[in-house]
Amino acid sequence: DYQKLEKCASSTSVLNEARMGILRAAYDLEKYGTVIEKADELLSSQNDDELESEVMYAKAISLSRTGKAPESIELWETLAEDVEDIYGAMSAVELSQYYYEICELENARIVIEEFLSSGTPHQYWLARGFIALTDVYHAKGQVSLAKEYIRSLQENYPGDEPDIHDMINQRLNNWK
């Protein structure tokens, strides 16, 4: 339906609404090439500023999922400058995770520590940030510190999201 709307849109706002619908559906269906295409179209047109961070984040994730993660860095860095925005918080964690995965542990640590000290209101992503930090400490051989942080998160995290608790328990079990 969004593709039909895109073809017959009579105004920029309707066209962008159609493109946003396509982008969101493609993202949910993991059709990352389409996400990148629609993100580029949306970012180059007159677009609603409220949606810009969502579009940039979707593009960054799609680039990383299609083997172009280095191209995501600039988008994640830009978004992470505003961690009050949910996509900024998510981007800070994603950027740190990317650095961790390519063994740039010091960059991962710097990004995630800046995020953790930022005062972000997004508790879930704050917890994910602490988990990322424990992974970095563990990889750097600071196992005691990693265990201390993960135990503290286990004792103090107020949320009830199963994935956070699973990540905590997995690390505690693996780091015995």
Side-chain angles (χ1 to χ4, degrees), residues 100 103 105 132-143 146 175:
Y100 171 80
C103 298
L105 300 178
L133 184 61
T134 66
D135 289 343
V136 169
Y137 284 149
H138 193 269
K140 290 179 87 172
Q142 297 173 299
V143 177
W175 297 346

Side-chain angles (χ1 to χ4, degrees), residues 20-41:
M20 197 65 197
I22 294 168
L23 180 141
R24 287 176 175 151
Y27 185 85
D28 289 343
L29 296 170
E30 298 179 359
K31 300 207 178 275
Y32 298 121
T34 301
V35 173
I36 294 166
E37 176 187 330
K38 293 304 161 192
D40 286 340
E41 291 171 359

Side-chain angles (χ1 to χ4, degrees), residues 10-98:
S10 59
S11 70
T12 303
S13 64
V14 172
L15 178 62
N16 285 340
E17 186 177 325
R19 288 177 175 164
M20 197 65 197
I22 294 168
L23 180 141
R24 287 176 175 151
Y27 185 85
D28 289 343
L29 296 170
E30 298 179 359
K31 300 207 178 275
Y32 298 121
T34 301
V35 173
I36 294 166
E37 176 187 330
K38 293 304 161 192
D40 286 340
E41 291 171 359
L42 285 161
L43 291 170
S44 68
S45 70
Q46 294 285 341
N47 194 22
D48 183 349
D49 288 341
E50 283 185 30
L51 299 177
E52 186 176 23
S53 61
E54 179 183 356
V55 172
M56 289 173 63
Y57 180 79
K59 180 179 179 181
I61 290 295
S62 297
L63 287 167
S64 72
R65 301 291 194 277
T66 57
K68 300 173 189 166
E71 295 176 39
S72 300
I73 293 172
E74 186 176 330
L75 293 167
W76 281 327
E77 287 175 338
T78 298
L79 290 165
E81 290 174 7
D82 180 11
V83 295
E84 298 231 350
D85 180 86
I86 186 69
Y87 297 104
M90 294 163 64
S91 292
V93 174
E94 288 289 343
L95 181 59
S96 177
Q97 186 64 39
Y98 169 71

